[in-house]
Amino acid sequence: MSKQLSPKQFIDLIKPNADLIIPIANGEPIRLLDLLEEHAAQLNNVKIHQMLALRDRAYIRGELEQLRHVSYFLSGATRHVYQQAKMDLVPNNFHEMPRLLQKTTNLSMIMTVASPMDEHGYFTFGTQADYVAEFVGKVPFVLEVNEHMPRTFGRNQIHISQIAGYVEHHAPLAEEKASTISDKDIKIASSIIADIQDGDTLQIGIGSVPNAVISMLKDHRHLGIHTEMLPDGVANLVNSGAIDGTRKFTNPGKIVATFAFGSKNLYDFIDGNPAVEMLPVSLVNDPREIAKEKNIVSINATTEVDLYGQCASETVGGKYYSSSGGQVDFARGVRFAENGKGYICMASTAKNDSLSRIKLNLSPLSVVTTGKNDVDNIVTEYGMARLHGVSIAERAKRLINIAHPKFRDELMFDAKKNGFLL
C-alpha cells in the first residue's frame, strides 16, 4: 500500500485542536503548508508551532481563523506580525524545545521536508535535526519529499514504516545571503582569532562577524565544530585543512550541528558527507553536552550591552526582533567546560555612529538574553572586555574602554553618577 498522500488524505489526518510541529528554515514544508491554507475551511482550531519561519503566509498574518501560528523564534516572516500582537511568541532556550513542545502541545503531527527514500526505506531530514528528530517513532510524521534536500547522516533518519504518509514537492532550498564583511567586522574577528588555539572546537553563529572569523581561520589546524547552525564557511575550512575534528572530546572527527542554513555550496558539502552529523538540539545545545568539549569556543552576537554586562540579543531598541535561540545554551556550556571561552560581539555603535550600543541601562523594554553571570567576553571593534569573574566596577571600566571613543566620557560620567565607579 502506497503511503503517498492525496490532498484529501492529508487534510483528513488533521484533527480538531491539532498541534502541528514544523522544523526550522529549510525543514519548512511548502506544499503541506499550501494545502493547509487551501483547505483551511475544513480545519478547526489548528496551531502550527515553529522557529524561524521562512515565508510570509496568510495564516501567519492571522488571516485564516482556523490556523494560528505559534513562534519560538521570530524571522522576517513573523516579526511584524508579532509586533502587531497577531501571534504568540513562546520564550525558550533552544535545547529545551523538544521538552517544551512535549509539555505544552498535543504533538499531533510533525510535518517536515525530507530527502528521497533510499534503497533501505529511509528518508533523512537533510539540513535538519533540530527539535523534530527527537520525536521519530513517538509522533506521527508527514513528509514532504524534495529531491533537492541533501541526504545527511546523524540522528535524523526516519523509515517509511514510521511515517503517516508523504507528498512530493521538488523545489530548490532557500539560501542565506552571505553578510558583507566590514572593516569593523575584521577588527572584532581579529580580537577573537588571537584567542583561538589549534585543536579548539567552535560554535559559530550567523552574521558578518562569524563570517569574518571563519575567513581568518584557514591557517589553524585540528579545529572541531560543535554548533547549532552549520555556517557556510565550514566547507572551505575543511578543504584548507583547518578542520578535522581529531582533538574533539565528543564525536571526534565529526562536524556536529543541529541544522544547516547557507548557500548551495554548503548543501552540496553536507550531501552524503559522513563527516557531518546532524543531531537533535537536545544533545547539541545541552550545556552539559557542550561542557564535555574541554576547549569549546562560542561566538555569538548581541544588539546592546549595559554596564553590568547584560546582553540584549533578541530585541532592538526595546522591540522584539528574534528570540533567545541557543545563545544562553552555549554561554552556560562554555562556563562548565574546562577551557571554555565565550565571545559575544557587536559593533560599538548603531545608526551611523549616533547611538552607543554600550549603555548605562539597556533600552526600555529590552529583554536580557545572556545575563551578567553567564557572559564571558564582550567584543567590539575597539577590543575585548573580559568580564567573567571581575567586579561590577571593573566590568564598567572594561566595557567603557571598548565603547566608541565619542561616548566614553558620557559613559564614565553616568557610571560614576550611578554608583558603578567612585
Side-chain angles (χ1 to χ4, degrees):
M1 180 179 174
S2 172
K3 287 201 171 183
Q4 187 164 4
L5 301 173
S6 68
K8 181 181 185 305
Q9 288 172 320
F10 167 62
I11 294 299
D12 286 346
L13 292 174
I14 313 299
K15 306 305 180 188
N17 306 311
D19 288 302
L20 309 180
I21 314 300
I22 306 292
I24 286 174
N26 277 305
E28 181 178 293
I30 299 171
R31 178 59 180 152
L32 292 177
L33 290 173
D34 285 346
L35 289 173
L36 288 179
E37 291 191 321
E38 290 166 13
H39 298 272
Q42 299 172 238
L43 304 175
N44 180 17
N45 191 34
V46 172
K47 293 181 180 178
I48 301 174
H49 303 259
Q50 186 185 15
M51 297 180 86
L52 197 65
L54 285 187
R55 294 165 183 84
D56 178 45
R57 285 185 170 273
Y59 84 86
I60 289 177
R61 296 192 300 270
E63 296 172 4
L64 300 173
E65 63 180 25
Q66 303 90 346
L67 294 171
R68 184 170 179 84
H69 181 75
V70 181
S71 180
Y72 298 79
F73 193 100
L74 299 180
S75 67
T78 57
R79 194 169 294 126
H80 65 290
V81 181
Y82 174 75
Q83 291 169 356
Q84 296 169 4
K86 293 182 178 179
M87 53 167 273
D88 294 322
L89 175 64
V90 180
N92 66 92
N93 290 317
F94 196 6
H95 84 277
E96 296 174 320
M97 274 293 292
R99 185 166 57 180
L100 187 66
L101 291 169
Q102 192 166 22
K103 179 180 178 181
T104 61
T105 78
N106 296 322
L107 284 175
S108 309
M109 179 185 294
I110 291 173
M111 308 185 331
T112 182
V113 179
S115 61
M117 185 174 66
D118 68 10
E119 66 271 25
H120 305 294
Y122 285 93
F123 306 85
T124 83
F125 304 144
T127 55
Q128 313 300 125
D130 60 54
Y131 42 85
V132 301
E134 185 91 359
F135 298 113
V136 171
K138 304 172 186 175
V139 175
F141 274 73
V142 173
L143 306 183
E144 180 169 297
V145 177
N146 184 351
E147 64 188 10
H148 297 275
M149 179 61 83
R151 173 167 294 278
T152 54
F153 293 84
R155 284 180 48 185
N156 68 338
Q157 291 88 34
I158 192 168
H159 192 265
I160 191 168
S161 64
Q162 296 174 302
I163 67 172
Y166 72 91
V167 301
E168 290 191 5
H169 179 78
H170 305 294
L173 303 188
E175 298 184 46
E176 175 69 12
K177 185 178 180 181
S179 302
T180 302
I181 298 174
S182 68
D183 291 340
K184 288 183 180 180
D185 299 326
I186 293 294
K187 290 177 181 177
I188 293 169
S190 296
S191 294
I192 299 170
I193 290 291
D195 275 6
I196 296 177
Q197 306 297 312
D198 288 350
D200 283 348
T201 292
L202 309 179
Q203 177 262 322
I204 304 179
I206 191 171
S208 55
V209 172
N211 288 346
V213 170
I214 289 172
S215 73
M216 299 167 71
L217 285 172
K218 64 181 183 301
D219 293 326
H220 281 65
R221 289 296 176 265
H222 307 301
L223 296 174
I225 297 292
H226 181 108
T227 189
E228 59 180 59
M229 189 198 81
L230 192 64
D232 232 34
V234 166
N236 292 335
L237 289 181
V238 171
N239 293 333
S240 73
I243 292 174
D244 63 20
T246 55
R247 296 187 186 174
K248 291 180 69 182
F249 291 85
T250 64
N251 304 291
K254 300 295 185 180
I255 295 168
V256 169
T258 199
F259 75 105
F261 192 43
S263 69
K264 187 175 184 300
N265 182 60
L266 175 66
Y267 306 145
D268 289 343
F269 172 74
I270 66 175
D271 186 26
N273 188 340
V276 177
E277 290 204 338
M278 309 302 293
L279 301 179
V281 72
S282 55
L283 284 175
V284 175
N285 278 45
D286 187 331
R288 295 165 294 188
E289 292 295 318
I290 295 165
K292 293 176 183 178
E293 287 295 342
K294 296 181 181 179
N295 302 312
I296 185 80
V297 176
S298 172
I299 304 168
N300 287 293
T302 194
T303 62
E304 56 183 63
V305 179
D306 69 13
L307 293 187
Y308 291 112
Q310 299 180 120
C311 302
S313 306
E314 56 201 274
T315 50
V316 176
K319 288 189 176 182
Y320 243 108
Y321 188 83
S322 55
S323 191
S324 302
Q327 186 172 122
V328 179
D329 295 338
F330 278 88
R332 290 178 177 162
V334 300
R335 290 270 51 82
F336 296 142
E338 189 173 307
N339 300 309
K341 293 173 283 192
Y343 304 89
I344 296 184
C345 312
M346 63 179 183
S348 65
T349 59
K351 296 185 178 179
N352 297 317
D353 293 340
S354 66
L355 184 68
S356 177
R357 288 185 168 179
I358 294 176
K359 303 170 178 283
L360 175 70
N361 299 307
L362 299 176
S363 299
L365 302 181
S366 291
V367 171
V368 175
T369 304
T370 300
K372 69 185 191 317
N373 299 343
D374 292 322
V375 73
D376 193 3
N377 304 292
I378 303 293
V379 192
T380 74
E381 71 272 27
Y382 293 102
M384 184 183 302
R386 301 186 188 275
L387 302 186
H388 189 252
V390 302
S391 69
I392 288 175
E394 184 62 26
R395 284 170 177 243
K397 290 178 186 176
R398 294 183 183 188
L399 287 165
I400 291 168
N401 284 339
I402 64 167
H404 192 287
K406 78 183 211 179
F407 294 105
R408 290 178 191 172
D409 287 345
E410 180 183 352
L411 284 166
M412 186 66 72
F413 176 81
D414 288 341
K416 289 178 179 178
K417 180 180 177 182
N418 288 276
F420 284 87
L421 303 170
L422 297 177

